[in-house]
Amino acid sequence: MRHEKYFSLKNLTFLIIIIALIFFPYVADSRTLTILMTQIFIFSILAMSYDILLGYTGIVSFGHAMFFGIGAYTTAILLSTYNNTMMIFLISIIVGMIFAGIVSFLVGLLTLRLKSHFFAMLTLAISGLFLVVAEKWRTVTKGNDGFTFRAPDVFRDRVIFYFFVLVCLVVVFLVLRRFVNSPLGKVLIAVRENEQRTRSLGFRTLHYKVTASVVAGVVASLSGSLYAISLRFVNTSVMSMDITLDALLMTIIGGVGTLIGPIVGSLVIETAQHYLSGLANDYPIFERWIIFFGMLYILAVIFFPKGIVGTVYVKYLTWKSKKAKPQLPTQSVPLVKDKERFE
Amino acid sequence: MDLFISLFINGLATGMLIFLLAAGLTLIFGLMDVLNFAHGGLFVWGAYSGIFVYTWSGSFIVGILGAIVTGFVLGWITEKLIITPVYGNHVQQILITLGFMLVLSECIKVVFGPNSIPVDVPSYLAGSWEIGEVIVIKYRIFIIVIGLVIFGIFQYVLKKTKIGLIVRAGVMDKEMVQVLGINIKRVFLFVFMTGSAMAAFGGMLMAPYSGVIYAEMGMEYAILGFIVVVIGGMGSFSGSLMAAILVGLAGSFMAYYVPYLSLAVNMILMAIVLIFRPQGLFTNAKEG
């Protein structure tokens, strides 16, 4: 169905961006900026995984932090228990992914048959449960105080870690792009648009939703592992609601239902967070920068439900169709249709 | 035995506070089909503004009135600005009310400062009675009485007055109520504001009970409120009282006997109810 040219404008743009990112640490000769970019990549991975649920399948989960936390804790615990070699790190990523996959499979199987409200509440409760476990199981997690550990020696150089995360980001992006463009991904979009109709076409929507949840959980676990390495410290905050909220904000502001959107959202939010908290010394109001994002987010939900990328894309499509011939954009499917008021 | 009684009273008082929060949630959900994730924000705003008025005026009653007024005003703003644009769209409702929750709890930190504020019980409610071996703290009895009175008032309004009739009919069948010539939007607004005022009132009563208020407590109590709404059954008013007492008692007894399970027990309870009886424990299957 998709006949994409390898040297289309889209792919060329990606290539240019990636090349620019490869040279970034050498051009911007600042440690802080490299660390900031690494952070942006890590949260991009998390937000993309969240978008598989929110943007592509149309389910709101408030429990995404638990998969992030599972990844972060697995890596931290394995690296501090055994030695800090690259091998153990890679194993810990795999173990975290497997563990997150199992958890998301079980949780999804139990909860995804429920309606959206109940699902959101139950995921909130289950991730709260994980947070409590992380806090109480002090022998392993050291509770709220957390613990430090030694990252693999290779990653002592921030630039190398930057490249490692960049590679992860590109790989995850390509894999997820393949995933959402596969027939399976198309069914997920159908579930988002109208679950009942999809079911009446003979698809077992529960299976597809569980698959989406497992994929999202596994990818979130990867971002958690990377996050733990970037801080070389882990405490219960990796399981907290704030992580889910971050992913949610990035996805909504960047653009739901696209894979670029979460990356843009992560770029916007992490950069703004970095500079606004810098401004807080002069203007105390910026200490509460999250207010601006909360408001921006509310406005985005009401007026731009497609986010930055979605809005730009629709503008681009209408511009192109106006230039060529009057024709409605067929590619862009809105996340949520305006349903009848009382359904 | 005396331990059992004091744990029981403790649990009952907590249950009543959660009931004040959950009753609004369940009515709003039952009538409007909106799950308000910002309800905890209204709860914490009630607590902060009530305590502000209380310290400023020196009277606890005036403080309670201040909290209720805040609840009404914030309820009006929330309904008009946040809920109205997204009626009938569940995903957007969940997203937008959560965002509003974020704004509300951050605004608390801007207006009242990020530190937690200690709160004293007013002198005429402080202290305790000794009945035999049992020490009964006055404020807890006060909360239980208030909770029961509120429950009685609302039961009366729902069952015996015209507006109550409309609300109950609206929970069952919104279109039919509209067809009969009732402006259901006004009823929505009324119920939403009442629910918000109840949450704010609960927050205000909560403040001297826990002795300290902080901005994050909104989310903590909102989660308890959701658990109660799920266990009691969405849209069931008396169910939410039963479930709130159940959750309060479970929390109080577990905190004493199995402390490390105290936070988890309610969530496990909710998960079990959602999986096996999603319509709630205290509703008939017909209503759900």
Side-chain angles (χ1 to χ4, degrees), chain A residues 152-176:
Chain A
D153 288 330
V154 191
F155 293 150
R156 202 157 292 165
D157 186 355
R158 286 284 176 181
V159 175
I160 293 180
F161 185 57
Y162 171 92
F163 282 124
F164 184 80
V165 178
L166 180 62
V167 168
C168 285
L169 176 68
V170 172
V171 168
V172 166
F173 178 79
L174 292 177
V175 168
L176 287 184

PDB file of all heavy atoms in Angstrom, chain A residues 152-176:
ATOM      1  N   PRO A 152      28.374   2.111  33.582  1.00  0.00           N
ATOM      2  CA  PRO A 152      29.501   1.529  32.848  1.00  0.00           C
ATOM      3  C   PRO A 152      30.546   2.594  32.522  1.00  0.00           C
ATOM      4  O   PRO A 152      30.200   3.734  32.206  1.00  0.00           O
ATOM      5  CB  PRO A 152      28.848   0.981  31.586  1.00  0.00           C
ATOM      6  CG  PRO A 152      27.452   0.709  31.973  1.00  0.00           C
ATOM      7  CD  PRO A 152      27.103   1.709  33.023  1.00  0.00           C
ATOM      8  N   ASP A 153      31.822   2.198  32.590  1.00  0.00           N
ATOM      9  CA  ASP A 153      32.910   3.169  32.441  1.00  0.00           C
ATOM     10  C   ASP A 153      32.837   3.939  31.128  1.00  0.00           C
ATOM     11  O   ASP A 153      33.228   5.097  31.064  1.00  0.00           O
ATOM     12  CB  ASP A 153      34.264   2.443  32.530  1.00  0.00           C
ATOM     13  CG  ASP A 153      34.508   2.003  33.959  1.00  0.00           C
ATOM     14  OD1 ASP A 153      34.007   2.696  34.867  1.00  0.00           O
ATOM     15  OD2 ASP A 153      35.177   0.972  34.151  1.00  0.00           O
ATOM     16  N   VAL A 154      32.346   3.255  30.096  1.00  0.00           N
ATOM     17  CA  VAL A 154      32.287   3.893  28.780  1.00  0.00           C
ATOM     18  C   VAL A 154      31.441   5.173  28.853  1.00  0.00           C
ATOM     19  O   VAL A 154      31.741   6.171  28.213  1.00  0.00           O
ATOM     20  CB  VAL A 154      31.655   2.935  27.755  1.00  0.00           C
ATOM     21  CG1 VAL A 154      31.831   3.455  26.354  1.00  0.00           C
ATOM     22  CG2 VAL A 154      32.223   1.545  27.920  1.00  0.00           C
ATOM     23  N   PHE A 155      30.369   5.108  29.659  1.00  0.00           N
ATOM     24  CA  PHE A 155      29.430   6.226  29.699  1.00  0.00           C
ATOM     25  C   PHE A 155      29.899   7.361  30.588  1.00  0.00           C
ATOM     26  O   PHE A 155      29.160   8.313  30.809  1.00  0.00           O
ATOM     27  CB  PHE A 155      28.051   5.747  30.167  1.00  0.00           C
ATOM     28  CG  PHE A 155      27.387   4.845  29.188  1.00  0.00           C
ATOM     29  CD1 PHE A 155      26.521   3.854  29.604  1.00  0.00           C
ATOM     30  CD2 PHE A 155      27.640   4.991  27.831  1.00  0.00           C
ATOM     31  CE1 PHE A 155      25.923   3.024  28.684  1.00  0.00           C
ATOM     32  CE2 PHE A 155      27.043   4.160  26.915  1.00  0.00           C
ATOM     33  CZ  PHE A 155      26.180   3.166  27.342  1.00  0.00           C
ATOM     34  N   ARG A 156      31.117   7.228  31.124  1.00  0.00           N
ATOM     35  CA  ARG A 156      31.603   8.348  31.915  1.00  0.00           C
ATOM     36  C   ARG A 156      31.776   9.571  31.011  1.00  0.00           C
ATOM     37  O   ARG A 156      31.620  10.705  31.447  1.00  0.00           O
ATOM     38  CB  ARG A 156      32.926   7.974  32.582  1.00  0.00           C
ATOM     39  CG  ARG A 156      33.199   8.831  33.774  1.00  0.00           C
ATOM     40  CD  ARG A 156      34.129   8.171  34.738  1.00  0.00           C
ATOM     41  NE  ARG A 156      33.530   7.010  35.391  1.00  0.00           N
ATOM     42  CZ  ARG A 156      34.243   6.108  36.047  1.00  0.00           C
ATOM     43  NH1 ARG A 156      35.556   6.221  36.095  1.00  0.00           N
ATOM     44  NH2 ARG A 156      33.654   5.095  36.629  1.00  0.00           N
ATOM     45  N   ASP A 157      32.092   9.292  29.750  1.00  0.00           N
ATOM     46  CA  ASP A 157      32.146  10.372  28.765  1.00  0.00           C
ATOM     47  C   ASP A 157      30.711  10.670  28.324  1.00  0.00           C
ATOM     48  O   ASP A 157      30.049   9.830  27.731  1.00  0.00           O
ATOM     49  CB  ASP A 157      32.984   9.915  27.566  1.00  0.00           C
ATOM     50  CG  ASP A 157      33.178  11.056  26.581  1.00  0.00           C
ATOM     51  OD1 ASP A 157      32.570  12.123  26.814  1.00  0.00           O
ATOM     52  OD2 ASP A 157      33.912  10.860  25.610  1.00  0.00           O
ATOM     53  N   ARG A 158      30.250  11.879  28.608  1.00  0.00           N
ATOM     54  CA  ARG A 158      28.860  12.225  28.319  1.00  0.00           C
ATOM     55  C   ARG A 158      28.544  12.165  26.829  1.00  0.00           C
ATOM     56  O   ARG A 158      27.408  11.919  26.440  1.00  0.00           O
ATOM     57  CB  ARG A 158      28.547  13.632  28.849  1.00  0.00           C
ATOM     58  CG  ARG A 158      28.411  13.684  30.337  1.00  0.00           C
ATOM     59  CD  ARG A 158      27.073  13.111  30.757  1.00  0.00           C
ATOM     60  NE  ARG A 158      26.953  13.059  32.209  1.00  0.00           N
ATOM     61  CZ  ARG A 158      25.885  12.580  32.826  1.00  0.00           C
ATOM     62  NH1 ARG A 158      24.874  12.119  32.148  1.00  0.00           N
ATOM     63  NH2 ARG A 158      25.841  12.559  34.131  1.00  0.00           N
ATOM     64  N   VAL A 159      29.570  12.429  26.013  1.00  0.00           N
ATOM     65  CA  VAL A 159      29.323  12.462  24.573  1.00  0.00           C
ATOM     66  C   VAL A 159      28.994  11.060  24.066  1.00  0.00           C
ATOM     67  O   VAL A 159      28.102  10.875  23.235  1.00  0.00           O
ATOM     68  CB  VAL A 159      30.533  13.069  23.842  1.00  0.00           C
ATOM     69  CG1 VAL A 159      30.331  13.004  22.344  1.00  0.00           C
ATOM     70  CG2 VAL A 159      30.750  14.493  24.301  1.00  0.00           C
ATOM     71  N   ILE A 160      29.702  10.070  24.608  1.00  0.00           N
ATOM     72  CA  ILE A 160      29.441   8.697  24.169  1.00  0.00           C
ATOM     73  C   ILE A 160      28.032   8.288  24.578  1.00  0.00           C
ATOM     74  O   ILE A 160      27.289   7.670  23.798  1.00  0.00           O
ATOM     75  CB  ILE A 160      30.496   7.743  24.759  1.00  0.00           C
ATOM     76  CG1 ILE A 160      31.850   8.077  24.138  1.00  0.00           C
ATOM     77  CG2 ILE A 160      30.126   6.300  24.495  1.00  0.00           C
ATOM     78  CD1 ILE A 160      32.961   7.223  24.613  1.00  0.00           C
ATOM     79  N   PHE A 161      27.663   8.667  25.785  1.00  0.00           N
ATOM     80  CA  PHE A 161      26.306   8.353  26.227  1.00  0.00           C
ATOM     81  C   PHE A 161      25.285   9.050  25.346  1.00  0.00           C
ATOM     82  O   PHE A 161      24.255   8.473  24.993  1.00  0.00           O
ATOM     83  CB  PHE A 161      26.123   8.760  27.693  1.00  0.00           C
ATOM     84  CG  PHE A 161      24.790   8.346  28.253  1.00  0.00           C
ATOM     85  CD1 PHE A 161      24.402   7.016  28.228  1.00  0.00           C
ATOM     86  CD2 PHE A 161      23.920   9.275  28.800  1.00  0.00           C
ATOM     87  CE1 PHE A 161      23.180   6.617  28.730  1.00  0.00           C
ATOM     88  CE2 PHE A 161      22.696   8.886  29.301  1.00  0.00           C
ATOM     89  CZ  PHE A 161      22.333   7.553  29.267  1.00  0.00           C
ATOM     90  N   TYR A 162      25.588  10.291  24.961  1.00  0.00           N
ATOM     91  CA  TYR A 162      24.721  11.042  24.043  1.00  0.00           C
ATOM     92  C   TYR A 162      24.497  10.236  22.765  1.00  0.00           C
ATOM     93  O   TYR A 162      23.360  10.071  22.310  1.00  0.00           O
ATOM     94  CB  TYR A 162      25.377  12.390  23.751  1.00  0.00           C
ATOM     95  CG  TYR A 162      24.729  13.205  22.664  1.00  0.00           C
ATOM     96  CD1 TYR A 162      23.743  14.127  22.968  1.00  0.00           C
ATOM     97  CD2 TYR A 162      25.121  13.059  21.337  1.00  0.00           C
ATOM     98  CE1 TYR A 162      23.152  14.874  21.975  1.00  0.00           C
ATOM     99  CE2 TYR A 162      24.539  13.806  20.341  1.00  0.00           C
ATOM    100  CZ  TYR A 162      23.552  14.718  20.655  1.00  0.00           C
ATOM    101  OH  TYR A 162      22.969  15.449  19.678  1.00  0.00           O
ATOM    102  N   PHE A 163      25.570   9.702  22.211  1.00  0.00           N
ATOM    103  CA  PHE A 163      25.425   8.947  20.970  1.00  0.00           C
ATOM    104  C   PHE A 163      24.639   7.672  21.190  1.00  0.00           C
ATOM    105  O   PHE A 163      23.811   7.293  20.365  1.00  0.00           O
ATOM    106  CB  PHE A 163      26.802   8.633  20.370  1.00  0.00           C
ATOM    107  CG  PHE A 163      27.383   9.806  19.683  1.00  0.00           C
ATOM    108  CD1 PHE A 163      28.630  10.291  20.032  1.00  0.00           C
ATOM    109  CD2 PHE A 163      26.673  10.460  18.691  1.00  0.00           C
ATOM    110  CE1 PHE A 163      29.146  11.404  19.404  1.00  0.00           C
ATOM    111  CE2 PHE A 163      27.193  11.564  18.067  1.00  0.00           C
ATOM    112  CZ  PHE A 163      28.443  12.034  18.430  1.00  0.00           C
ATOM    113  N   PHE A 164      24.885   7.029  22.330  1.00  0.00           N
ATOM    114  CA  PHE A 164      24.161   5.797  22.615  1.00  0.00           C
ATOM    115  C   PHE A 164      22.655   6.063  22.659  1.00  0.00           C
ATOM    116  O   PHE A 164      21.856   5.351  22.064  1.00  0.00           O
ATOM    117  CB  PHE A 164      24.645   5.224  23.955  1.00  0.00           C
ATOM    118  CG  PHE A 164      24.032   3.903  24.280  1.00  0.00           C
ATOM    119  CD1 PHE A 164      24.516   2.746  23.697  1.00  0.00           C
ATOM    120  CD2 PHE A 164      22.962   3.816  25.148  1.00  0.00           C
ATOM    121  CE1 PHE A 164      23.943   1.531  23.976  1.00  0.00           C
ATOM    122  CE2 PHE A 164      22.388   2.590  25.428  1.00  0.00           C
ATOM    123  CZ  PHE A 164      22.883   1.446  24.845  1.00  0.00           C
ATOM    124  N   VAL A 165      22.276   7.152  23.364  1.00  0.00           N
ATOM    125  CA  VAL A 165      20.854   7.484  23.482  1.00  0.00           C
ATOM    126  C   VAL A 165      20.288   7.882  22.121  1.00  0.00           C
ATOM    127  O   VAL A 165      19.166   7.516  21.772  1.00  0.00           O
ATOM    128  CB  VAL A 165      20.642   8.594  24.528  1.00  0.00           C
ATOM    129  CG1 VAL A 165      19.181   8.978  24.605  1.00  0.00           C
ATOM    130  CG2 VAL A 165      21.109   8.135  25.878  1.00  0.00           C
ATOM    131  N   LEU A 166      21.095   8.606  21.343  1.00  0.00           N
ATOM    132  CA  LEU A 166      20.640   9.012  20.014  1.00  0.00           C
ATOM    133  C   LEU A 166      20.343   7.783  19.157  1.00  0.00           C
ATOM    134  O   LEU A 166      19.315   7.713  18.478  1.00  0.00           O
ATOM    135  CB  LEU A 166      21.702   9.897  19.351  1.00  0.00           C
ATOM    136  CG  LEU A 166      21.368  10.398  17.958  1.00  0.00           C
ATOM    137  CD1 LEU A 166      20.130  11.266  17.982  1.00  0.00           C
ATOM    138  CD2 LEU A 166      22.539  11.170  17.370  1.00  0.00           C
ATOM    139  N   VAL A 167      21.254   6.800  19.217  1.00  0.00           N
ATOM    140  CA  VAL A 167      21.034   5.568  18.454  1.00  0.00           C
ATOM    141  C   VAL A 167      19.748   4.886  18.916  1.00  0.00           C
ATOM    142  O   VAL A 167      18.913   4.466  18.101  1.00  0.00           O
ATOM    143  CB  VAL A 167      22.249   4.622  18.610  1.00  0.00           C
ATOM    144  CG1 VAL A 167      21.916   3.243  18.068  1.00  0.00           C
ATOM    145  CG2 VAL A 167      23.447   5.205  17.896  1.00  0.00           C
ATOM    146  N   CYS A 168      19.568   4.834  20.254  1.00  0.00           N
ATOM    147  CA  CYS A 168      18.339   4.230  20.785  1.00  0.00           C
ATOM    148  C   CYS A 168      17.113   4.953  20.242  1.00  0.00           C
ATOM    149  O   CYS A 168      16.136   4.323  19.830  1.00  0.00           O
ATOM    150  CB  CYS A 168      18.321   4.311  22.306  1.00  0.00           C
ATOM    151  SG  CYS A 168      19.410   3.136  23.072  1.00  0.00           S
ATOM    152  N   LEU A 169      17.173   6.287  20.254  1.00  0.00           N
ATOM    153  CA  LEU A 169      16.033   7.079  19.800  1.00  0.00           C
ATOM    154  C   LEU A 169      15.704   6.770  18.349  1.00  0.00           C
ATOM    155  O   LEU A 169      14.546   6.519  17.992  1.00  0.00           O
ATOM    156  CB  LEU A 169      16.323   8.571  19.982  1.00  0.00           C
ATOM    157  CG  LEU A 169      15.250   9.524  19.457  1.00  0.00           C
ATOM    158  CD1 LEU A 169      13.993   9.404  20.287  1.00  0.00           C
ATOM    159  CD2 LEU A 169      15.743  10.953  19.477  1.00  0.00           C
ATOM    160  N   VAL A 170      16.752   6.753  17.506  1.00  0.00           N
ATOM    161  CA  VAL A 170      16.515   6.521  16.078  1.00  0.00           C
ATOM    162  C   VAL A 170      15.952   5.118  15.867  1.00  0.00           C
ATOM    163  O   VAL A 170      14.983   4.931  15.126  1.00  0.00           O
ATOM    164  CB  VAL A 170      17.816   6.734  15.286  1.00  0.00           C
ATOM    165  CG1 VAL A 170      17.623   6.306  13.843  1.00  0.00           C
ATOM    166  CG2 VAL A 170      18.235   8.185  15.364  1.00  0.00           C
ATOM    167  N   VAL A 171      16.542   4.135  16.557  1.00  0.00           N
ATOM    168  CA  VAL A 171      16.069   2.758  16.394  1.00  0.00           C
ATOM    169  C   VAL A 171      14.616   2.644  16.832  1.00  0.00           C
ATOM    170  O   VAL A 171      13.765   2.094  16.118  1.00  0.00           O
ATOM    171  CB  VAL A 171      16.973   1.787  17.188  1.00  0.00           C
ATOM    172  CG1 VAL A 171      16.322   0.415  17.264  1.00  0.00           C
ATOM    173  CG2 VAL A 171      18.335   1.709  16.567  1.00  0.00           C
ATOM    174  N   VAL A 172      14.309   3.228  18.034  1.00  0.00           N
ATOM    175  CA  VAL A 172      12.935   3.155  18.539  1.00  0.00           C
ATOM    176  C   VAL A 172      11.986   3.843  17.575  1.00  0.00           C
ATOM    177  O   VAL A 172      10.902   3.329  17.266  1.00  0.00           O
ATOM    178  CB  VAL A 172      12.846   3.796  19.947  1.00  0.00           C
ATOM    179  CG1 VAL A 172      11.398   4.036  20.328  1.00  0.00           C
ATOM    180  CG2 VAL A 172      13.500   2.905  20.966  1.00  0.00           C
ATOM    181  N   PHE A 173      12.426   4.993  17.046  1.00  0.00           N
ATOM    182  CA  PHE A 173      11.570   5.725  16.113  1.00  0.00           C
ATOM    183  C   PHE A 173      11.261   4.878  14.884  1.00  0.00           C
ATOM    184  O   PHE A 173      10.105   4.755  14.468  1.00  0.00           O
ATOM    185  CB  PHE A 173      12.259   7.038  15.708  1.00  0.00           C
ATOM    186  CG  PHE A 173      11.474   7.838  14.720  1.00  0.00           C
ATOM    187  CD1 PHE A 173      10.405   8.610  15.139  1.00  0.00           C
ATOM    188  CD2 PHE A 173      11.794   7.819  13.376  1.00  0.00           C
ATOM    189  CE1 PHE A 173       9.665   9.344  14.242  1.00  0.00           C
ATOM    190  CE2 PHE A 173      11.064   8.549  12.469  1.00  0.00           C
ATOM    191  CZ  PHE A 173       9.998   9.315  12.898  1.00  0.00           C
ATOM    192  N   LEU A 174      12.305   4.258  14.326  1.00  0.00           N
ATOM    193  CA  LEU A 174      12.087   3.473  13.109  1.00  0.00           C
ATOM    194  C   LEU A 174      11.226   2.254  13.391  1.00  0.00           C
ATOM    195  O   LEU A 174      10.313   1.930  12.623  1.00  0.00           O
ATOM    196  CB  LEU A 174      13.442   3.052  12.521  1.00  0.00           C
ATOM    197  CG  LEU A 174      14.256   4.218  11.968  1.00  0.00           C
ATOM    198  CD1 LEU A 174      15.608   3.735  11.479  1.00  0.00           C
ATOM    199  CD2 LEU A 174      13.505   4.915  10.849  1.00  0.00           C
ATOM    200  N   VAL A 175      11.497   1.595  14.537  1.00  0.00           N
ATOM    201  CA  VAL A 175      10.710   0.405  14.870  1.00  0.00           C
ATOM    202  C   VAL A 175       9.250   0.785  15.072  1.00  0.00           C
ATOM    203  O   VAL A 175       8.338   0.138  14.547  1.00  0.00           O
ATOM    204  CB  VAL A 175      11.281  -0.268  16.137  1.00  0.00           C
ATOM    205  CG1 VAL A 175      10.318  -1.322  16.663  1.00  0.00           C
ATOM    206  CG2 VAL A 175      12.627  -0.894  15.836  1.00  0.00           C
ATOM    207  N   LEU A 176       9.022   1.886  15.823  1.00  0.00           N
ATOM    208  CA  LEU A 176       7.637   2.271  16.079  1.00  0.00           C
ATOM    209  C   LEU A 176       6.955   2.742  14.807  1.00  0.00           C
ATOM    210  O   LEU A 176       5.757   2.527  14.616  1.00  0.00           O
ATOM    211  CB  LEU A 176       7.574   3.368  17.155  1.00  0.00           C
ATOM    212  CG  LEU A 176       7.875   2.905  18.578  1.00  0.00           C
ATOM    213  CD1 LEU A 176       7.686   4.041  19.550  1.00  0.00           C
ATOM    214  CD2 LEU A 176       6.982   1.745  18.971  1.00  0.00           C
TER     215      LEU A 176
END
